[in-house]
Amino acid sequence: MEWIDLRSDTVTEPTPEMREAMANAELGDDVYGEDPTVNHLQELSAQMLGKEAALFVPSGTMGNLAAILAHCARGDEIIIGDHSHTYLYEAGGVSALGGIHTFVVKNRDDGTVPHDEIEAAIRSDNDHFPITSLICLENTHNRCGGSVLSVDYIQDVGRIAEEHGLRMHIDGARIFNAAIALGVSPAELVAPAASVTFCLSKGLCAPAGSVICGDEAFIQKVHRARKMLGGGMRQAGVLAAAGVVALETMVDRLSEDHIKARRLAETLAALPGLSLDYETPATNMIFLRLDVETPIEGEELVRRFADKGIKISASRAGQIRLVIHYWVDDGALAQVTEAFKELFLHA
Ligand code: TLP
């Protein structure tokens, strides 16, 4: 069966152009810094994100962890949203491996944290307290509906960081989705941040890999952290080659995913038993909520969609996440719409 997979944009397979670039990539040992394709990817990434330097890492999780390890000493504290991926879904790596304390602040539905709550979380100089060293943001914000943090918001948080001698890290796993949705350059969007991690392996369709960007001195520290975490790869140009194609050919088209997500969300929200959990999608994610009186619960829904060749994620709490990506074409969207109608119009 040809599956339609809406569980995530991480499921995207490389495009034919990526596979060809991978097969023909010029290679070297990247731990020696001698892989020309990795070096090219890193230069291109730094340039697109407006930072001095960049480092290729195997995953977004390692990217966030290596960046945070490079920013913080053991016992330092980071300020981080309660819905953020790093806090919820990265196996507690910053605490387990970095000895770093988290000051958890509440994310609003749009992925922001109010400025005054960030300021209130910054510790004063007192032996009893951990030392605040980093503010972490996420853009787009996954668990907040794929929402987008604006340039103004990030600049304001950047000002708070600067005033207090702190740094800011952005988990920009989907930073290109955010930039495209806002119509600004990714460099402008991350300008106030000391570091950003973005993923090649989500909407951009590369098979693996993320990139951390920041200034030269910071990237040198990240290099050591990556080695310590076991992320120093050898002929990694095979993967980086797909990343270069991703950056060169897959960024502008993300707007197509956003348009499809909006269209599908509007259709589905009009069905009985379903409502949108956030406002109309700003990017490629649709979060739906099953009405309490709907007779089907999450796991059963996943099974019923699987019977129709469609993979979706649904939680026990009745939330469904659908993620639109390159491999979801108009035909697939029509099939998905039909499947929802069959289940919800006749439930
Ligand atoms: N997110 C995945 C799951 O882990 C939830 C998904 O399907 O959305 N930051 C953000 C904002 C992410 O959404 C993810 C992956 C990561 C970091 C981690 O990236 P990887 O999977 O490459 O370690």
Side-chain angles (χ1 to χ4, degrees):
M1 179 181 342
E2 270 269 336
W3 287 96
I4 298 170
D5 197 339
L6 301 180
R7 288 171 302 168
S8 183
D9 46 11
T10 59
V11 303
T12 48
E13 293 189 5
T15 61
E17 197 185 334
M18 286 177 190
R19 289 179 188 264
E20 198 185 323
M22 293 170 80
N24 297 317
E26 233 187 293
L27 304 175
D29 189 325
D30 182 48
V31 173
Y32 290 101
E34 289 175 2
D35 188 304
T37 310
V38 172
N39 291 340
H40 176 49
L41 172 67
Q42 291 173 169
E43 280 155 24
L44 180 62
S45 302
Q47 186 204 327
M48 288 174 82
L49 274 293
K51 301 292 181 202
E52 281 175 18
L55 195 73
F56 185 49
V57 289
S59 68
T61 301
M62 188 184 289
N64 287 327
L65 179 56
I68 294 170
L69 288 177
H71 282 303
C72 303
R74 292 182 77 78
D76 278 7
E77 188 166 70
I78 61 175
I79 298 172
I80 190 159
D82 64 342
H83 282 17
S84 67
H85 193 277
T86 299
Y87 178 64
L88 288 176
Y89 302 125
E90 293 174 14
V94 292
S95 306
L97 304 174
I100 296 159
H101 208 239
T102 47
F103 194 119
V104 182
V105 282
K106 241 181 142 29
N107 281 117
R108 290 186 287 208
D109 274 2
D110 63 1
T112 62
V113 174
H115 299 131
D116 55 341
E117 288 178 30
I118 293 179
E119 289 207 275
I122 299 170
R123 307 281 193 166
S124 56
D125 184 14
N126 179 320
D127 275 358
H128 295 79
F129 300 150
I131 298 167
T132 309
S133 55
L134 188 71
I135 301 172
C136 296
L137 299 180
E138 183 175 314
N139 202 12
T140 64
H141 202 295
N142 183 342
R143 289 307 308 175
C144 292
S147 59
V148 177
L149 307 187
S150 69
V151 173
D152 283 352
Y153 176 76
I154 294 171
Q155 281 176 350
D156 288 344
V157 177
R159 259 189 296 277
I160 295 173
E162 205 178 318
E163 273 165 30
H164 294 269
L166 309 176
R167 274 146 290 142
M168 174 161 74
H169 171 72
I170 298 179
D171 174 356
R174 297 181 182 83
I175 198 70
F176 292 103
N177 294 80
I180 292 282
L182 292 169
V184 300
S185 75
E188 183 182 354
L189 199 49
V190 304
S195 60
V196 57
T197 300
F198 72 83
C199 294
L200 296 160
S201 60
K202 301 198 163 51
L204 301 183
C205 290
S210 292
V211 183
I212 309 167
C213 303
D215 68 28
E216 293 279 3
F218 165 78
I219 291 296
Q220 264 181 31
K221 283 190 176 177
V222 176
H223 212 278
R224 184 177 292 261
R226 182 186 72 173
K227 186 71 194 146
M228 186 173 69
L229 297 172
M233 297 182 284
R234 301 295 176 169
Q235 287 70 37
V238 175
L239 293 171
V244 171
V245 176
L247 291 180
E248 285 174 346
T249 69
M250 301 300 281
V251 171
D252 289 340
R253 63 148 306 283
L254 291 172
S255 58
E256 294 168 27
D257 299 339
H258 301 175
I259 293 167
K260 283 185 186 139
R262 211 169 312 139
R263 213 168 1 120
L264 182 63
E266 279 161 8
T267 310
L268 301 186
L271 294 176
L274 277 177
S275 50
L276 278 183
D277 222 0
Y278 297 90
E279 287 167 21
T280 311
T283 58
N284 64 334
M285 294 188 184
I286 305 168
F287 284 80
L288 294 162
R289 182 151 294 279
L290 292 173
D291 292 351
V292 267
E293 61 275 11
T294 307
I296 322 169
E297 53 78 58
E299 281 171 22
E300 173 60 17
L301 203 62
V302 170
R303 271 194 295 278
R304 295 221 202 154
F305 274 96
D307 290 342
K308 295 173 185 293
I310 299 168
K311 296 186 185 182
I312 64 163
S313 315
S315 71
R316 248 181 269 140
Q319 191 185 57
I320 301 168
R321 186 183 77 158
L322 308 175
V323 186
I324 304 300
H325 52 75
Y326 179 72
W327 297 104
V328 183
D329 60 15
D330 285 336
L333 276 192
Q335 247 176 283
V336 171
T337 306
E338 206 38 52
F340 268 95
K341 283 185 177 164
E342 276 170 29
L343 282 170
F344 284 88
L345 285 177
H346 313 295

PDB file of all heavy atoms in Angstrom, residues 7-10 59-62 64 85 89-90 138 140 142 171 173-174 199 201-202 210 285 321, ligand 1:
ATOM      1  N   ARG A   7       2.002  11.949   9.955  1.00  0.00           N
ATOM      2  CA  ARG A   7       2.410  11.995  11.365  1.00  0.00           C
ATOM      3  C   ARG A   7       3.393  13.121  11.629  1.00  0.00           C
ATOM      4  O   ARG A   7       3.422  13.693  12.701  1.00  0.00           O
ATOM      5  CB  ARG A   7       3.020  10.654  11.783  1.00  0.00           C
ATOM      6  CG  ARG A   7       1.991   9.542  11.905  1.00  0.00           C
ATOM      7  CD  ARG A   7       2.674   8.221  12.098  1.00  0.00           C
ATOM      8  NE  ARG A   7       3.583   7.945  11.003  1.00  0.00           N
ATOM      9  CZ  ARG A   7       4.495   6.989  10.988  1.00  0.00           C
ATOM     10  NH1 ARG A   7       4.639   6.217  12.040  1.00  0.00           N
ATOM     11  NH2 ARG A   7       5.272   6.812   9.933  1.00  0.00           N
ATOM     12  N   SER A   8       4.246  13.403  10.643  1.00  0.00           N
ATOM     13  CA  SER A   8       5.255  14.435  10.836  1.00  0.00           C
ATOM     14  C   SER A   8       5.877  14.777   9.490  1.00  0.00           C
ATOM     15  O   SER A   8       5.739  14.013   8.522  1.00  0.00           O
ATOM     16  CB  SER A   8       6.353  13.921  11.786  1.00  0.00           C
ATOM     17  OG  SER A   8       7.298  14.941  12.025  1.00  0.00           O
ATOM     18  N   ASP A   9       6.592  15.911   9.453  1.00  0.00           N
ATOM     19  CA  ASP A   9       7.395  16.196   8.256  1.00  0.00           C
ATOM     20  C   ASP A   9       8.765  15.511   8.353  1.00  0.00           C
ATOM     21  O   ASP A   9       9.568  15.559   7.426  1.00  0.00           O
ATOM     22  CB  ASP A   9       7.538  17.711   8.023  1.00  0.00           C
ATOM     23  CG  ASP A   9       7.894  18.472   9.289  1.00  0.00           C
ATOM     24  OD1 ASP A   9       8.246  17.834  10.310  1.00  0.00           O
ATOM     25  OD2 ASP A   9       7.825  19.719   9.280  1.00  0.00           O
ATOM     26  N   THR A  10       9.019  14.858   9.496  1.00  0.00           N
ATOM     27  CA  THR A  10      10.269  14.076   9.618  1.00  0.00           C
ATOM     28  C   THR A  10      10.221  12.824   8.743  1.00  0.00           C
ATOM     29  O   THR A  10      11.255  12.209   8.494  1.00  0.00           O
ATOM     30  CB  THR A  10      10.502  13.608  11.075  1.00  0.00           C
ATOM     31  OG1 THR A  10       9.384  12.796  11.467  1.00  0.00           O
ATOM     32  CG2 THR A  10      10.619  14.779  12.029  1.00  0.00           C
ATOM     33  N   SER A  59      21.279  15.343  14.258  1.00  0.00           N
ATOM     34  CA  SER A  59      19.838  15.525  14.515  1.00  0.00           C
ATOM     35  C   SER A  59      19.566  16.875  15.182  1.00  0.00           C
ATOM     36  O   SER A  59      20.488  17.513  15.714  1.00  0.00           O
ATOM     37  CB  SER A  59      19.348  14.415  15.455  1.00  0.00           C
ATOM     38  OG  SER A  59      19.927  14.599  16.735  1.00  0.00           O
ATOM     39  N   GLY A  60      18.292  17.239  15.194  1.00  0.00           N
ATOM     40  CA  GLY A  60      17.896  18.460  15.878  1.00  0.00           C
ATOM     41  C   GLY A  60      18.119  18.347  17.380  1.00  0.00           C
ATOM     42  O   GLY A  60      18.509  19.305  18.044  1.00  0.00           O
ATOM     43  N   THR A  61      17.867  17.151  17.914  1.00  0.00           N
ATOM     44  CA  THR A  61      18.058  16.935  19.350  1.00  0.00           C
ATOM     45  C   THR A  61      19.514  17.160  19.729  1.00  0.00           C
ATOM     46  O   THR A  61      19.816  17.858  20.711  1.00  0.00           O
ATOM     47  CB  THR A  61      17.615  15.495  19.714  1.00  0.00           C
ATOM     48  OG1 THR A  61      16.233  15.352  19.352  1.00  0.00           O
ATOM     49  CG2 THR A  61      17.796  15.204  21.188  1.00  0.00           C
ATOM     50  N   MET A  62      20.428  16.580  18.931  1.00  0.00           N
ATOM     51  CA  MET A  62      21.842  16.807  19.250  1.00  0.00           C
ATOM     52  C   MET A  62      22.226  18.268  19.030  1.00  0.00           C
ATOM     53  O   MET A  62      23.043  18.825  19.771  1.00  0.00           O
ATOM     54  CB  MET A  62      22.767  15.887  18.454  1.00  0.00           C
ATOM     55  CG  MET A  62      24.206  15.993  18.944  1.00  0.00           C
ATOM     56  SD  MET A  62      25.400  15.040  18.023  1.00  0.00           S
ATOM     57  CE  MET A  62      24.990  13.384  18.512  1.00  0.00           C
ATOM     58  N   ASN A  64      20.359  20.981  19.509  1.00  0.00           N
ATOM     59  CA  ASN A  64      19.972  21.786  20.674  1.00  0.00           C
ATOM     60  C   ASN A  64      20.866  21.483  21.866  1.00  0.00           C
ATOM     61  O   ASN A  64      21.322  22.384  22.573  1.00  0.00           O
ATOM     62  CB  ASN A  64      18.505  21.519  21.035  1.00  0.00           C
ATOM     63  CG  ASN A  64      17.554  22.151  20.043  1.00  0.00           C
ATOM     64  OD1 ASN A  64      17.833  23.218  19.482  1.00  0.00           O
ATOM     65  ND2 ASN A  64      16.429  21.496  19.789  1.00  0.00           N
ATOM     66  N   HIS A  85      10.107  21.798  22.581  1.00  0.00           N
ATOM     67  CA  HIS A  85      10.586  20.457  22.235  1.00  0.00           C
ATOM     68  C   HIS A  85      11.741  20.047  23.132  1.00  0.00           C
ATOM     69  O   HIS A  85      11.814  18.926  23.624  1.00  0.00           O
ATOM     70  CB  HIS A  85      11.006  20.425  20.759  1.00  0.00           C
ATOM     71  CG  HIS A  85      11.216  19.043  20.241  1.00  0.00           C
ATOM     72  ND1 HIS A  85      12.393  18.357  20.415  1.00  0.00           N
ATOM     73  CD2 HIS A  85      10.381  18.196  19.583  1.00  0.00           C
ATOM     74  CE1 HIS A  85      12.275  17.155  19.866  1.00  0.00           C
ATOM     75  NE2 HIS A  85      11.077  17.025  19.355  1.00  0.00           N
ATOM     76  N   TYR A  89      10.673  16.802  24.765  1.00  0.00           N
ATOM     77  CA  TYR A  89      10.901  15.630  23.906  1.00  0.00           C
ATOM     78  C   TYR A  89      12.368  15.321  23.634  1.00  0.00           C
ATOM     79  O   TYR A  89      12.671  14.656  22.640  1.00  0.00           O
ATOM     80  CB  TYR A  89      10.194  15.816  22.558  1.00  0.00           C
ATOM     81  CG  TYR A  89       8.703  16.029  22.665  1.00  0.00           C
ATOM     82  CD1 TYR A  89       8.110  17.147  22.091  1.00  0.00           C
ATOM     83  CD2 TYR A  89       7.886  15.119  23.323  1.00  0.00           C
ATOM     84  CE1 TYR A  89       6.737  17.350  22.164  1.00  0.00           C
ATOM     85  CE2 TYR A  89       6.515  15.316  23.399  1.00  0.00           C
ATOM     86  CZ  TYR A  89       5.954  16.432  22.823  1.00  0.00           C
ATOM     87  OH  TYR A  89       4.604  16.624  22.906  1.00  0.00           O
ATOM     88  N   GLU A  90      13.281  15.835  24.426  1.00  0.00           N
ATOM     89  CA  GLU A  90      14.680  15.538  24.132  1.00  0.00           C
ATOM     90  C   GLU A  90      15.307  14.760  25.291  1.00  0.00           C
ATOM     91  O   GLU A  90      16.494  14.879  25.588  1.00  0.00           O
ATOM     92  CB  GLU A  90      15.425  16.830  23.751  1.00  0.00           C
ATOM     93  CG  GLU A  90      14.868  17.344  22.411  1.00  0.00           C
ATOM     94  CD  GLU A  90      15.376  18.687  21.922  1.00  0.00           C
ATOM     95  OE1 GLU A  90      16.390  19.187  22.450  1.00  0.00           O
ATOM     96  OE2 GLU A  90      14.736  19.239  21.007  1.00  0.00           O
ATOM     97  N   GLU A 138      11.637  28.722  20.582  1.00  0.00           N
ATOM     98  CA  GLU A 138      11.415  27.731  19.513  1.00  0.00           C
ATOM     99  C   GLU A 138      10.586  28.377  18.405  1.00  0.00           C
ATOM    100  O   GLU A 138       9.551  28.978  18.678  1.00  0.00           O
ATOM    101  CB  GLU A 138      10.673  26.528  20.105  1.00  0.00           C
ATOM    102  CG  GLU A 138      10.444  25.396  19.124  1.00  0.00           C
ATOM    103  CD  GLU A 138       9.803  24.190  19.825  1.00  0.00           C
ATOM    104  OE1 GLU A 138      10.253  23.791  20.934  1.00  0.00           O
ATOM    105  OE2 GLU A 138       8.831  23.653  19.251  1.00  0.00           O
ATOM    106  N   THR A 140       9.520  27.574  14.105  1.00  0.00           N
ATOM    107  CA  THR A 140       8.137  27.600  14.526  1.00  0.00           C
ATOM    108  C   THR A 140       7.985  26.804  15.816  1.00  0.00           C
ATOM    109  O   THR A 140       8.827  25.973  16.130  1.00  0.00           O
ATOM    110  CB  THR A 140       7.193  26.998  13.457  1.00  0.00           C
ATOM    111  OG1 THR A 140       7.506  25.597  13.284  1.00  0.00           O
ATOM    112  CG2 THR A 140       7.378  27.681  12.105  1.00  0.00           C
ATOM    113  N   ASN A 142       6.404  23.972  17.646  1.00  0.00           N
ATOM    114  CA  ASN A 142       5.733  22.723  17.304  1.00  0.00           C
ATOM    115  C   ASN A 142       4.455  22.512  18.126  1.00  0.00           C
ATOM    116  O   ASN A 142       3.344  22.502  17.589  1.00  0.00           O
ATOM    117  CB  ASN A 142       6.754  21.586  17.510  1.00  0.00           C
ATOM    118  CG  ASN A 142       6.243  20.223  17.127  1.00  0.00           C
ATOM    119  OD1 ASN A 142       5.048  20.013  17.009  1.00  0.00           O
ATOM    120  ND2 ASN A 142       7.143  19.280  16.947  1.00  0.00           N
ATOM    121  N   ASP A 171      15.664  27.166  18.967  1.00  0.00           N
ATOM    122  CA  ASP A 171      15.436  25.878  18.329  1.00  0.00           C
ATOM    123  C   ASP A 171      14.629  26.209  17.076  1.00  0.00           C
ATOM    124  O   ASP A 171      13.409  26.354  17.123  1.00  0.00           O
ATOM    125  CB  ASP A 171      14.656  24.937  19.263  1.00  0.00           C
ATOM    126  CG  ASP A 171      14.275  23.635  18.564  1.00  0.00           C
ATOM    127  OD1 ASP A 171      14.551  23.492  17.356  1.00  0.00           O
ATOM    128  OD2 ASP A 171      13.699  22.758  19.244  1.00  0.00           O
ATOM    129  N   ALA A 173      14.182  24.358  14.419  1.00  0.00           N
ATOM    130  CA  ALA A 173      14.012  23.130  13.631  1.00  0.00           C
ATOM    131  C   ALA A 173      13.290  23.450  12.316  1.00  0.00           C
ATOM    132  O   ALA A 173      13.649  22.953  11.255  1.00  0.00           O
ATOM    133  CB  ALA A 173      13.226  22.101  14.436  1.00  0.00           C
ATOM    134  N   ARG A 174      12.276  24.343  12.414  1.00  0.00           N
ATOM    135  CA  ARG A 174      11.510  24.728  11.219  1.00  0.00           C
ATOM    136  C   ARG A 174      11.611  26.232  10.996  1.00  0.00           C
ATOM    137  O   ARG A 174      10.624  26.893  10.676  1.00  0.00           O
ATOM    138  CB  ARG A 174      10.051  24.274  11.390  1.00  0.00           C
ATOM    139  CG  ARG A 174       9.907  22.765  11.493  1.00  0.00           C
ATOM    140  CD  ARG A 174       8.477  22.292  11.648  1.00  0.00           C
ATOM    141  NE  ARG A 174       8.401  20.846  11.791  1.00  0.00           N
ATOM    142  CZ  ARG A 174       8.583  20.170  12.934  1.00  0.00           C
ATOM    143  NH1 ARG A 174       8.846  20.852  14.060  1.00  0.00           N
ATOM    144  NH2 ARG A 174       8.522  18.854  12.963  1.00  0.00           N
ATOM    145  N   CYS A 199      16.761  22.248  11.185  1.00  0.00           N
ATOM    146  CA  CYS A 199      16.764  20.865  10.694  1.00  0.00           C
ATOM    147  C   CYS A 199      16.639  20.811   9.184  1.00  0.00           C
ATOM    148  O   CYS A 199      15.822  21.525   8.596  1.00  0.00           O
ATOM    149  CB  CYS A 199      15.612  20.088  11.316  1.00  0.00           C
ATOM    150  SG  CYS A 199      15.794  19.893  13.089  1.00  0.00           S
ATOM    151  N   SER A 201      16.051  17.782   7.911  1.00  0.00           N
ATOM    152  CA  SER A 201      15.348  16.507   7.713  1.00  0.00           C
ATOM    153  C   SER A 201      13.860  16.578   8.014  1.00  0.00           C
ATOM    154  O   SER A 201      13.229  15.563   8.230  1.00  0.00           O
ATOM    155  CB  SER A 201      15.996  15.454   8.603  1.00  0.00           C
ATOM    156  OG  SER A 201      15.877  15.874   9.949  1.00  0.00           O
ATOM    157  N   LYS A 202      13.316  17.818   8.039  1.00  0.00           N
ATOM    158  CA  LYS A 202      11.868  17.928   8.259  1.00  0.00           C
ATOM    159  C   LYS A 202      11.245  18.360   6.938  1.00  0.00           C
ATOM    160  O   LYS A 202      11.328  17.615   5.973  1.00  0.00           O
ATOM    161  CB  LYS A 202      11.604  18.850   9.437  1.00  0.00           C
ATOM    162  CG  LYS A 202      12.299  18.299  10.683  1.00  0.00           C
ATOM    163  CD  LYS A 202      11.817  18.813  11.980  1.00  0.00           C
ATOM    164  CE  LYS A 202      12.267  17.937  13.139  1.00  0.00           C
ATOM    165  NZ  LYS A 202      13.709  17.630  13.178  1.00  0.00           N
ATOM    166  N   SER A 210      21.044  18.246  10.999  1.00  0.00           N
ATOM    167  CA  SER A 210      20.678  19.589  11.425  1.00  0.00           C
ATOM    168  C   SER A 210      21.937  20.437  11.416  1.00  0.00           C
ATOM    169  O   SER A 210      23.052  19.896  11.354  1.00  0.00           O
ATOM    170  CB  SER A 210      20.091  19.554  12.844  1.00  0.00           C
ATOM    171  OG  SER A 210      18.839  18.900  12.824  1.00  0.00           O
ATOM    172  N   MET A 285       1.420  22.680  10.151  1.00  0.00           N
ATOM    173  CA  MET A 285       0.823  21.747  11.120  1.00  0.00           C
ATOM    174  C   MET A 285      -0.643  22.076  11.388  1.00  0.00           C
ATOM    175  O   MET A 285      -0.993  23.238  11.553  1.00  0.00           O
ATOM    176  CB  MET A 285       1.570  21.816  12.448  1.00  0.00           C
ATOM    177  CG  MET A 285       2.979  21.320  12.329  1.00  0.00           C
ATOM    178  SD  MET A 285       3.716  21.220  13.949  1.00  0.00           S
ATOM    179  CE  MET A 285       5.366  20.723  13.457  1.00  0.00           C
ATOM    180  N   ARG A 321      -2.643  15.500  15.394  1.00  0.00           N
ATOM    181  CA  ARG A 321      -1.729  16.388  14.669  1.00  0.00           C
ATOM    182  C   ARG A 321      -1.554  15.854  13.256  1.00  0.00           C
ATOM    183  O   ARG A 321      -1.241  14.676  13.072  1.00  0.00           O
ATOM    184  CB  ARG A 321      -0.367  16.478  15.365  1.00  0.00           C
ATOM    185  CG  ARG A 321       0.547  17.505  14.701  1.00  0.00           C
ATOM    186  CD  ARG A 321       1.940  17.582  15.316  1.00  0.00           C
ATOM    187  NE  ARG A 321       2.784  16.473  14.904  1.00  0.00           N
ATOM    188  CZ  ARG A 321       4.117  16.486  14.918  1.00  0.00           C
ATOM    189  NH1 ARG A 321       4.753  17.554  15.360  1.00  0.00           N
ATOM    190  NH2 ARG A 321       4.807  15.441  14.539  1.00  0.00           N
TER     191      ARG A 321
HETATM  192  N1  TLP B   1      10.082  16.890  16.372  1.00  0.00           N
HETATM  193  C1  TLP B   1       9.422  15.635  16.048  1.00  0.00           C
HETATM  194  C2  TLP B   1       9.106  14.821  17.302  1.00  0.00           C
HETATM  195  O1  TLP B   1      10.225  14.679  18.072  1.00  0.00           O
HETATM  196  C3  TLP B   1       8.016  15.410  18.133  1.00  0.00           C
HETATM  197  C4  TLP B   1       8.173  15.905  15.257  1.00  0.00           C
HETATM  198  O2  TLP B   1       7.631  14.933  14.709  1.00  0.00           O
HETATM  199  O3  TLP B   1       7.750  17.065  15.171  1.00  0.00           O
HETATM  200  N2  TLP B   1      12.972  20.719  17.713  1.00  0.00           N
HETATM  201  C5  TLP B   1      11.714  20.679  17.265  1.00  0.00           C
HETATM  202  C6  TLP B   1      10.884  21.900  17.347  1.00  0.00           C
HETATM  203  C7  TLP B   1      11.188  19.495  16.735  1.00  0.00           C
HETATM  204  O4  TLP B   1       9.930  19.471  16.318  1.00  0.00           O
HETATM  205  C8  TLP B   1      12.004  18.348  16.676  1.00  0.00           C
HETATM  206  C9  TLP B   1      11.463  17.035  16.161  1.00  0.00           C
HETATM  207  C10 TLP B   1      13.315  18.439  17.137  1.00  0.00           C
HETATM  208  C11 TLP B   1      13.776  19.649  17.662  1.00  0.00           C
HETATM  209  C12 TLP B   1      14.257  17.260  17.153  1.00  0.00           C
HETATM  210  O5  TLP B   1      14.698  16.912  15.910  1.00  0.00           O
HETATM  211  P1  TLP B   1      15.312  15.443  15.637  1.00  0.00           P
HETATM  212  O6  TLP B   1      14.139  14.534  15.475  1.00  0.00           O
HETATM  213  O7  TLP B   1      16.082  15.640  14.371  1.00  0.00           O
HETATM  214  O8  TLP B   1      16.162  15.099  16.788  1.00  0.00           O
END
